[in-house]
């Protein structure tokens, strides 16, 4: 018969005669619980169990830029003097000690653990037990908004002795602080619950937790000036940012714009965040802050097929992708980061080019004949090659196609290859995402211009558009209007 | 034979000294990198460390019908890898031979009950004992003398059996390891806690890939 609680499962495992069976079952139960506390954690299971100085598990967060690790030691002997001695041996690595002897840990004489508590805080070590883990997990059920934030923070930066009574207090405080941050917006409730939580988080993780709380406060209409803890919203760490993008509330443009103030393209793609509606909102509201060099329009249904039902912005590996019903557009810093194979195709005719470029100033055009010969025609300074006699002449042959143009896009040189449906900044020139977007759509997605999409604001928020207009000398948004 | 303890200790003091000894022995054993002490709580790990006396009736729930070892685990390295051990630890300043004889009775009984569960029986103490018989304390003869030493050792090892089993005596003799430690040895001649952190990295790399 299997037990439904973590502690019950562990006690059943201990009652097995087989030593290997016991260890496997306990580690498996702990791994499941830890994974439930934080689904971003990776767990390395060692060959050791209850060892004095070699951990049972090594937790890591490979998606986080600093690649943090934390060791987990199980402990069968949980007498205060023994745990104090353990802290002397392993405390320097700020590990987690999970005591499996609940009866001893939940003694009627909690003062016995006073020294362990002080020592564990001093060494940023978390001493806990299965019942406490269970209580924290109960508080992280989907019915409790943001219930998994504190358990995950404790896993990374928890400290002190957290047995069942403390876990219950923490679960209540977590519920209280998020209710205050998202519903009541009462500063006093934030302060009260923060005081209950902060002793159990290291300084770094406490700061991150309360920054995240403030992000929710502002996202849900709380007055930024009234938030009672000093934090920097744009200082959200990667875990908090990933959490917001993957599981946070679907919030206003204003909120996502505040969150994205210091989020670069590189940081966004390095988060490896799962596709979500919030990712769409984030990119849409911060498009002007994301700079890219390469765009590729793909008419084939590839990755987009899987996401066909979800038009909008996505992150795919190290690229951004926008899906519309007709095609997918990829944006990246490097051509090799485009996550689909770029199939060669024919160029376009001069007539097509003329209709696509409209008022854009094309500095040169490269034509290819049927035998592969290429000719490049450069326009005089400030002239548009599209209207040149030379281009008209060369383009007369039916077998000649225009394969590449170089144009001035907002004062920067943009190269566009029609035979690869690729637009890219000259050498290492970067473009704000909206500028490359509208040029790529105009030049590489025939028949569809931004104004023909359902609504341009679905791609780039009004605030991001305003930012582009105010900073750019000439924008396609203006040009399209 | 009767034994007299030179210092009268309260039960709590005795318990504390015992706990200190278990902790120190455990750290020393694991610092050798040849042992993993996986079981160190006889109350919680009954199935690993606790056995029924020969005199007890089958299915008895009386705690007095059971005895336990202090720690258990497995050995690591070479031919010993995976060998299971059970250990008794005595952190006394001075000792008679009786606790060791009782330990031998426990080993005898454990082998009789579950022969595959203990490949090695470790005795770890802080005081020498039976100096005049030191060269024979792990022999079959001495084990036989011990299991019949007094009523207590007989109840552990033999119960109503009149004679000991020669095969068991031989096997227990082969599996005995006697270690005498000192605080100074642990303090000055072992790797310190910081050095053990370096050992840990090596152990995780060499053996810890799960």
């Amino acid at each position: 018969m299997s037990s439904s609680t973590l502690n019950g499962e562990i006690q059943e495992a201990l009652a097995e005669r087989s030593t290997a069976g016991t260890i496997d079952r306990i580690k498996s139960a702990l791994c499941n619980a830890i994974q439930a506390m934080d689904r971003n954690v990776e767990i390395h299971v060692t060959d050791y169990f209850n060892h004095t100085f070699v951990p049972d598990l090594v937790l890591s967060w490979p998606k986080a830029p600093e690649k943090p690790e934390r060791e987990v030691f199980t402990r069968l002997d949980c007498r205060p003097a023994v745990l104090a001695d353990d802290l002397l041996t392993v405390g320097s690595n700020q590990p987690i000690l999970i005591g499996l002897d609940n009866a001893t840990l939940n003694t009627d004489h909690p003062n016995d653990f006073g020294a362990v508590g002080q020592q564990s805080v001093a060494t940023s070590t978390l001493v806990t037990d299965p019942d406490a883990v269970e209580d924290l997990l109960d508080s992280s059920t989907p019915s409790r908004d943001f219930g998994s934030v504190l358990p995950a923070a404790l896993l990374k930066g928890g400290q002190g002795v957290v047995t069942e009574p403390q876990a219950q207090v923490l679960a209540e405080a977590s519920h209280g602080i998020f209710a205050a941050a998202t519903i009541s917006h009462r500063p006093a409730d934030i302060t009260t619950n923060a005081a209950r939580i902060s002793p159990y988080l290291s300084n770094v993780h406490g700061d991150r937790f309360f920054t995240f709380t403030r992000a929710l406060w502002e996202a849900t209409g709380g007055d930024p000036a009234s938030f009672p803890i000093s934090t920097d919203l744009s200082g959200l760490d990667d875990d908090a940012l990933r959490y917001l993008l993957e599981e946070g509330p679907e919030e206003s443009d204003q909120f996502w714009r505040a969150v994205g103030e210091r989020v670069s393209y590189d940081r966004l793609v390095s988060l490896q965040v799962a596709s979500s509606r919030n990712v769409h909102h984030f990119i849409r509201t911060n498009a002007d802050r994301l700079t890219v060099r390469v765009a590729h329009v793909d008419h084939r249904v590839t990755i987009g097929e899987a996401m066909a039902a979800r038009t909008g912005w996505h992150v795919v590996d190290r690229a951004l992708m926008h899906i519309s019903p007709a095609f997918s557009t990829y944006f990246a810093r490097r051509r090799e980061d485009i996550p689909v194979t770029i199939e060669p195709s024919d160029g376009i005719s001069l007539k097509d080019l003329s209709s696509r470029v409209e008022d854009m100033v094309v500095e040169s055009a490269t034509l290819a004949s049927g035998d592969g010969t290429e000719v490049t025609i450069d326009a005089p300074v400030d002239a548009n090659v599209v209207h040149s006699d030379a281009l008209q002449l060369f383009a007369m042959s039916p077998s000649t196609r225009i394969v590449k143009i170089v144009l001035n896009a907002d004062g920067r040189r943009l190269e566009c290859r029609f035979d690869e449906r690729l637009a890219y900044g000259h050498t290492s020139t970067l473009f704000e995402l909206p500028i490359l977007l509208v040029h790529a759509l105009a030049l590489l997605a025939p028949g569809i211009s931004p104004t023909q999409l359902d609504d341009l604001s679905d791609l780039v928020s009004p605030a991001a558009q305003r930012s582009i207009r105010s900073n750019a000398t000439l924008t396609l948004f203006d040009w399209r209007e | 034979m009767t034994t007299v303890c030179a210092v009268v200790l309260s039960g709590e003091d005795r318990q504390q000294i015992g706990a200190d000894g278990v902790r120190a022995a455990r750290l020393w054993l694991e610092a050798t990198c040849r042992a993993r002490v996986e079981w160190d709580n006889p109350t919680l790990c009954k199935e690993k460390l606790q056995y029924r006396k020969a005199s007890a009736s089958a299915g008895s729930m009386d705690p007095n019908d059971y005895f336990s070892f202090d720690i258990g685990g497995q050995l690591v390295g070479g031919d010993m890898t995976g060998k299971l051990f059970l250990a008794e630890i005595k952190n006394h300043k001075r000792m008679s031979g009786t606790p060791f004889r009782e330990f031998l009775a426990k080993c005898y009984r454990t082998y009789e009950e579950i022969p595959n569960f203990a490949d090695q029986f470790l005795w770890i103490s802080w005081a020498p004992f039976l100096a005049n018989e030191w060269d024979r304390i792990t022999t079959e003869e001495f084990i036989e003398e011990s299991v019949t030493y007094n009523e207590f050792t007989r109840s552990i090892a033999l119960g109503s059996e009149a004679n000991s089993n020669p095969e068991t005596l031989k096997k227990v003799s082969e599996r005995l390891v006697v270690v005498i430690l000192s605080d100074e040895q642990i303090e000055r001649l072992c790797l310190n806690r910081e050095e053990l952190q370096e050992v840990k990295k090596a152990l995780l790399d060499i053996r810890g890939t799960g």
Side-chain angles (χ1 to χ4, degrees):
Chain A
M1 193 175 85
S2 63
S3 173
S4 58
T5 68
L6 178 60
N7 189 44
E9 208 172 330
I10 287 170
Q11 299 310 318
E12 278 183 10
L14 284 168
E16 268 194 37
R17 190 59 121 174
S18 157
T19 57
T22 296
I23 293 170
D24 286 348
R25 279 184 67 183
I26 289 174
K27 287 196 174 187
S28 172
L30 289 176
C31 285
N32 289 340
I34 289 168
Q35 208 88 57
M37 286 176 81
D38 183 355
R39 62 192 183 86
N40 290 315
V41 69
E42 282 194 6
I43 306 173
H44 170 77
V45 181
T46 75
D47 284 351
Y48 294 81
F49 176 74
N50 189 36
H51 194 278
T52 313
F53 57 90
V54 185
D56 293 64
L57 312 170
V58 180
L59 312 184
S60 63
W61 288 266
K63 290 180 184 175
E66 65 269 36
K67 307 272 185 290
E69 286 192 352
R70 200 168 196 198
E71 296 174 347
V72 177
F73 294 84
T74 56
R75 284 294 175 255
L76 290 170
D77 191 345
C78 300
R79 288 172 294 178
V82 176
L83 291 177
D85 202 51
D86 283 330
L87 289 170
L88 285 178
T89 307
V90 300
S92 60
N93 289 331
Q94 303 161 12
I96 298 174
L97 304 186
I98 301 181
L100 304 184
D101 185 0
N102 276 30
T104 302
L105 278 169
N106 290 290
T107 169
D108 292 336
H109 306 287
N111 289 341
D112 293 351
F113 286 91
V116 177
Q118 290 168 7
Q119 207 176 330
S120 56
V121 169
T123 58
S124 298
T125 299
L126 178 65
V127 179
T128 187
D129 68 15
D131 281 343
V133 170
E134 189 96 29
D135 283 346
L136 290 168
L137 283 177
D138 285 347
S139 73
S140 69
T141 54
S143 60
R144 286 276 187 107
D145 287 341
F146 310 108
S148 64
V149 179
L150 183 58
L154 287 167
L155 215 48
K156 290 190 202 78
Q159 63 184 21
V161 177
V162 178
T163 56
E164 196 167 18
Q166 292 85 10
Q168 287 170 352
V169 169
L170 284 169
E172 283 172 20
S174 168
H175 179 60
I177 201 165
F178 288 122
T182 58
I183 301 167
S184 72
H185 294 131
R186 289 196 342 205
D189 289 352
I190 296 282
T191 307
T192 304
N193 288 300
R196 296 155 88 190
I197 293 169
S198 58
Y200 296 99
L201 289 174
S202 67
N203 288 340
V204 170
H205 289 89
D207 286 348
R208 290 176 181 174
F209 181 83
F210 297 121
T211 298
F212 179 74
T213 309
R214 187 186 152 201
L216 296 177
W217 171 281
E218 292 190 18
T220 50
D223 172 17
S226 302
F227 192 76
I229 303 171
S230 172
T231 57
D232 178 4
L233 187 59
S234 60
L236 278 175
D237 75 348
D238 285 357
D239 288 334
L241 183 56
R242 188 182 300 112
Y243 184 89
L244 273 183
L245 289 170
E246 292 181 348
E247 297 179 33
E250 200 166 312
E251 283 304 334
S252 66
D253 286 3
Q254 188 185 355
F255 168 70
W256 288 114
R257 191 129 180 100
V259 170
E261 189 178 351
R262 291 187 205 164
V263 180
S264 66
Y265 172 87
D266 277 337
R267 185 175 173 208
L268 176 64
V269 296
S270 72
L271 288 174
Q272 300 279 301
V273 68
S275 193
S276 72
R277 200 63 196 155
N278 285 345
V279 169
H280 166 76
H281 291 313
F282 182 89
I283 296 173
R284 180 180 153 274
T285 51
N286 293 285
D288 56 309
R289 294 164 168 160
L290 303 172
T291 53
V292 286
R293 180 173 168 260
V294 184
H296 171 62
V297 176
D298 191 357
H299 293 270
R300 297 164 299 151
V301 179
T302 48
I303 296 173
E305 188 170 24
M307 299 179 173
R310 301 188 54 188
T311 59
W313 289 105
H314 301 264
V315 177
V316 181
D317 298 331
R318 290 196 61 80
L320 307 183
M321 173 174 64
H322 182 267
I323 298 177
S324 74
F327 53 84
S328 306
T329 312
Y330 299 91
F331 300 88
R333 284 282 174 89
R334 304 178 308 167
R335 178 185 169 133
E336 52 267 40
D337 290 336
I338 300 290
V340 290
T341 307
I342 297 174
E343 299 287 347
S345 60
D346 291 340
I348 61 173
S349 66
L350 179 58
K351 186 181 168 195
D352 285 342
L353 177 65
S354 299
S355 68
R356 293 185 193 186
V357 299
E358 296 194 12
D359 294 343
M360 287 185 251
V361 179
V362 180
E363 297 174 354
S364 74
T366 301
L367 300 92
S369 64
D371 63 2
T373 306
E374 289 194 355
V375 176
T376 299
I377 300 169
D378 294 319
V381 177
D382 293 336
N384 193 337
V385 77
V386 175
H387 308 305
S388 74
D389 292 342
L391 185 60
Q392 304 280 346
L393 187 64
F394 278 99
M396 281 177 64
S397 165
S399 66
T400 301
R401 312 290 286 176
I402 297 167
V403 292
K404 176 186 169 186
I405 58 171
V406 178
L407 67 152
N408 183 317
D410 195 45
R412 286 160 283 181
R413 297 186 93 188
L414 177 69
E415 301 183 17
C416 181
R417 288 214 69 105
F418 297 104
D419 53 351
E420 294 181 306
R421 294 198 182 90
L422 209 60
Y424 47 94
H426 181 63
T427 60
S428 58
T429 304
L430 296 176
F431 290 93
E432 294 76 12
L433 182 59
I435 291 182
L436 195 54
L437 165 76
V438 287
H439 281 89
L441 290 180
L443 295 167
L444 300 170
I448 297 181
S449 64
T451 48
Q452 288 173 297
L453 292 173
D454 291 343
D455 182 358
L456 184 60
S457 67
D458 193 47
L459 284 96
V460 180
S461 72
Q465 290 185 40
R466 276 195 299 278
S467 167
I468 287 290
R469 285 199 184 96
S470 65
N471 293 323
T473 52
L474 173 68
T475 75
L476 272 187
F477 294 108
D478 292 330
W479 168 73
R480 285 286 176 198
E481 281 177 351
Chain B
M1 183 187 291
T2 51
T3 58
V4 179
C5 190
V7 182
V8 179
L9 298 169
S10 70
E12 203 168 302
D13 288 342
R14 198 172 289 122
Q15 202 175 31
Q16 184 56 45
I17 289 172
D20 289 345
V22 168
R23 278 211 311 278
R26 180 169 178 255
L27 181 60
W28 174 80
L29 271 170
E30 293 190 324
T32 66
C33 300
R34 294 299 189 200
R36 297 179 189 177
V37 182
E38 288 158 339
W39 317 109
D40 62 347
N41 183 336
T43 308
L44 201 61
C45 312
K46 285 181 185 168
E47 292 302 317
K48 315 294 189 293
L49 298 175
Q50 196 176 83
Y51 297 85
R52 188 165 52 90
K53 292 177 183 174
S55 58
S57 56
S60 166
M61 301 297 282
D62 184 351
N64 293 320
D65 281 341
Y66 292 82
F67 63 87
S68 59
F69 293 88
D70 292 316
I71 59 175
Q74 56 175 310
L75 301 177
V76 184
D79 295 343
M80 299 309 288
T81 296
K83 300 283 187 191
L84 302 179
F85 74 84
L86 293 166
E88 182 102 346
I89 296 160
K90 297 293 181 195
N91 184 22
H92 299 162
K93 296 293 181 195
R94 62 178 71 172
M95 282 180 49
S96 71
T98 304
F100 183 71
R101 291 183 188 277
E102 290 170 358
F103 166 70
L104 293 178
K106 291 178 184 178
C107 297
Y108 179 95
R109 173 60 186 165
T110 302
Y111 183 82
E112 285 272 282
E113 198 173 21
I114 309 179
N116 295 330
F117 214 66
D119 302 305
Q120 299 282 296
F121 294 106
L122 272 63
W123 167 269
I124 299 174
S125 70
W126 265 250
F129 54 91
L130 296 170
N132 294 333
E133 306 209 58
W134 188 253
D135 60 340
R136 56 184 294 269
I137 61 170
T138 61
T139 62
E140 293 163 50
E141 295 75 24
F142 192 84
I143 298 167
E144 184 175 30
E145 287 171 28
S146 296
V147 298
T148 56
Y149 181 66
N150 59 26
E151 195 178 331
F152 185 61
T153 58
R154 182 177 279 281
S155 76
I156 292 173
L158 300 178
S160 58
E161 293 288 327
N163 299 310
S164 53
N165 179 344
E167 178 63 16
T168 302
L169 293 172
K170 181 170 180 294
K171 291 294 183 187
V172 171
S173 170
E174 289 169 356
R175 295 171 182 220
L176 283 171
V177 176
V178 177
V179 177
I180 309 296
L181 289 176
S182 76
D183 290 341
E184 291 73 20
Q185 173 191 0
I186 292 173
E187 194 180 313
R188 299 173 200 167
L189 301 176
C190 289
L191 296 177
N192 64 33
R193 293 174 200 263
E194 289 75 33
E195 290 162 338
L196 290 177
Q197 292 302 310
E198 298 304 313
V199 174
K200 173 198 74 178
K201 292 175 195 165
L203 288 177
L204 278 175
D205 285 346
I206 296 167
R207 300 178 189 142
T209 48

